[in-house]
Amino acid sequence: MGEKITYETIFARSFSRYDQKKLGYGAFLGCLLIALSFCIVFKPYLGPLPVLNMRMSMDVGLNMLRIMDSFSSEKLRGGDISSSMTTIVTETSSSEIEMVEESDTTGTNETKSNGTTVINNKNSSQQKEMKTVCHVEESTQFCEMNGDIRVDGKSSTVFMAVDTMVANSSWVIGPYARRGDEEAFKRITKWSIKSGVDAYEEAPQCDQRHNVPAIIFSTGGYAGNNFHDYTDIVLPLYLTSRQFDGEVKFLITDKNPWWIEKFRNILQKLSRYELFDIDKEVNVHCFTSVIVGLKRYPKELKIDPSKSPYSMKEFRQFLRSAYSLKKENAINMKDNGGKKRPRLLIVSRKSTRAFTNTNAISGMATRLGYEVVVTEVDSHVARVAEMVNSCDVMMGVHGAGLTNMVFLPENAILIQVIPIGGFEWLAKTDFGEPSKDMNLRYIGYKIKTEESSLIQQYPPDHEVLNDPYAVQKRGWYEFKSIYLQKQNVNLDVDRFRATLLRALELLHQ
């Protein structure tokens, strides 16, 4: 209080009342001018701090992405992104990705009508575009990153190191293309993706720099099941990496050496470089472009050519090239003149869903004019591919072995024998529909109860034989233990004869 009185006393002695008033007005105007100048100079940098919080949730198999957006209406008008650090989250449905975005004051933001959220941060001193684009789709999630990217296998973290005022962003992603399958993701390593100033400060120094892009993906999940090998990994890896024409490095997490050996031909065709077991790498590897996760379309063994530069036809041509397969088209009986028999492959199984009368089936097919080959497909893909490619018709009970139809020649025929148990939808989804995109002809043969070995294990009035949908309602594991693991097939040869005759008719067309 004494200081205030002393200050006012000195002030009064130095100026008259009139002078004091003039000085007060002048000081007020000066402050206004300074404030106005400050606003003009720093206007591009002012604005509310946008915060984007993204949480993923699952609801009865259908997940909804909830976005809480505090962008101001002024910021929603967007801006130039030509030389910026950009974070884009493409939303089609929910996922296992956990996302938190924290943006600084230097950017502009835009929410587009197609569900894509763009966080755009500009800095005039940063000439090279750096961005992270994360896609959240029905069956997969993956992030595409460009910039100063550092991959630390020890911590399962990818850093985009940016030393300018840009958005701080973080994600957690499982790089396996079967999003939403909790059982599969129990065997998938989760990777953290960080970008922005915080990532720059936290990022470790580079031990090794690379001048080609990298793709991080997992060989965990359901790897080892032939169907999932192709639909969850091989085909998505093709979709993701083919654009680089071999100039890409594969950083494999949850690496299974036997899986690598099984698909060595394909991996070497897609990448010219040594594979990295990234989980065991002690060095920090640096790239200018990294994709974490794999692209995939929602349906099994499917490429949508309207959304991709590739097609299933091109994928099958790629496989023929990878395994040096010679037969491109199935036999045409009309042009053949009966000089050569069509070749029929019967896929046998040793344990479950096996044919119990293979000899009878083979004998009947031979009498109809087929050259019959009976074999059990295994993990020697090159040998299996050559065998399947040499055939015109392939038949087998519903199971992962039928996935080898990818090696059949064009216009060949796939016959799927469908056991009892309500398999119709599964059979159609896994093999029936995909065969059409592969330019194959498809025939489904649904067995009768009398052709199932389950009639020997359950009384005639049991629900297993009469109401399989009641069993399905009790869960996948009970359904699997009965209809997939306990059931074999004894084909009614006389009834099945019509199916093989139909295949011959198609080979004459």
Side-chain angles (χ1 to χ4, degrees), residues 143-397:
C143 292
E144 299 174 288
M145 308 175 70
N146 294 301
D148 179 5
I149 304 165
R150 308 177 191 184
V151 180
D152 182 17
K154 298 188 298 296
S155 64
S156 301
T157 305
V158 181
F159 299 89
M160 177 183 282
V162 185
D163 60 352
T164 54
M165 295 181 65
V166 297
N168 290 319
S169 308
S170 64
W171 296 264
V172 176
I173 180 173
Y176 182 74
R178 186 162 285 273
R179 187 189 62 75
D181 192 315
E182 295 181 4
E183 190 64 30
F185 274 80
K186 290 178 182 178
R187 297 179 286 276
I188 301 297
T189 297
K190 298 293 182 64
W191 278 71
S192 297
I193 300 174
K194 300 180 180 181
S195 64
V197 178
D198 289 351
Y200 176 79
E201 296 175 351
E202 184 182 348
Q205 295 298 311
C206 294
D207 294 314
Q208 187 174 347
R209 293 189 178 274
H210 305 263
N211 58 4
V212 296
I215 297 175
I216 299 175
F217 67 96
S218 173
T219 57
Y222 295 132
N225 175 287
N226 200 54
F227 176 77
H228 288 284
D229 284 340
Y230 282 93
T231 197
D232 295 352
I233 306 177
V234 172
L235 183 55
L237 183 61
Y238 169 84
L239 284 171
T240 309
S241 64
R242 191 59 175 161
Q243 60 181 310
F244 300 113
D245 194 25
E247 290 298 316
V248 62
K249 295 188 177 183
F250 294 154
L251 313 185
I252 302 178
T253 185
D254 311 308
K255 182 182 177 183
N256 288 308
W258 49 263
W259 194 95
I260 302 300
E261 184 59 34
K262 177 179 179 180
F263 293 105
R264 184 166 298 281
N265 287 52
I266 292 174
L267 294 170
Q268 291 178 342
K269 191 75 173 177
L270 291 173
S271 172
R272 298 185 179 95
Y273 300 92
E274 179 184 357
L275 302 174
F276 283 84
D277 185 347
I278 193 61
D279 297 336
K280 295 182 179 179
E281 281 293 319
V282 295
N283 290 330
V284 175
H285 293 269
C286 296
F287 302 85
T288 58
S289 178
V290 172
I291 299 175
V292 185
L294 299 176
K295 300 177 182 179
R296 178 187 166 167
Y297 291 98
K299 294 184 178 180
E300 309 289 8
L301 294 173
K302 169 80 173 181
I303 296 177
D304 186 347
S306 68
K307 300 178 181 179
S308 170
Y310 309 108
S311 65
M312 285 304 295
K313 180 178 181 179
E314 289 171 307
F315 174 65
R316 286 179 9 96
Q317 290 173 342
F318 164 79
L319 292 178
R320 282 197 288 268
S321 175
Y323 291 100
S324 302
L325 303 181
K326 300 177 180 179
K327 190 169 182 176
E328 186 172 350
N329 293 288
I331 190 172
N332 188 316
M333 299 295 291
K334 183 172 60 177
D335 299 335
N336 181 47
K339 297 178 182 179
K340 188 176 181 181
R341 289 187 168 204
R343 192 170 169 91
L344 168 66
L345 172 63
I346 300 177
V347 178
S348 65
R349 298 172 62 99
K350 289 182 179 178
S351 53
T352 63
R353 283 162 287 146
F355 290 120
T356 58
N357 60 337
T358 303
N359 290 338
I361 301 170
S362 178
M364 183 265 292
T366 301
R367 290 191 294 273
L368 290 178
Y370 286 98
E371 176 188 348
V372 180
V373 178
V374 180
T375 189
E376 182 178 12
V377 296
D378 53 28
S379 60
H380 297 283
V381 180
R383 186 171 64 200
V384 171
E386 184 177 5
M387 173 65 71
V388 173
N389 180 253
S390 69
C391 297
D392 307 290
V393 182
M394 174 179 170
M395 63 167 283
V397 182

Side-chain angles (χ1 to χ4, degrees), residues 14 62 93 127 202 207 289 302 323 378 404 478 487 497:
S14 301
L62 296 176
S93 64
Q127 299 299 320
E202 184 182 348
D207 294 314
S289 178
K302 169 80 173 181
Y323 291 100
D378 53 28
N404 291 293
E478 185 165 352
Q487 182 172 200
R497 185 174 183 273

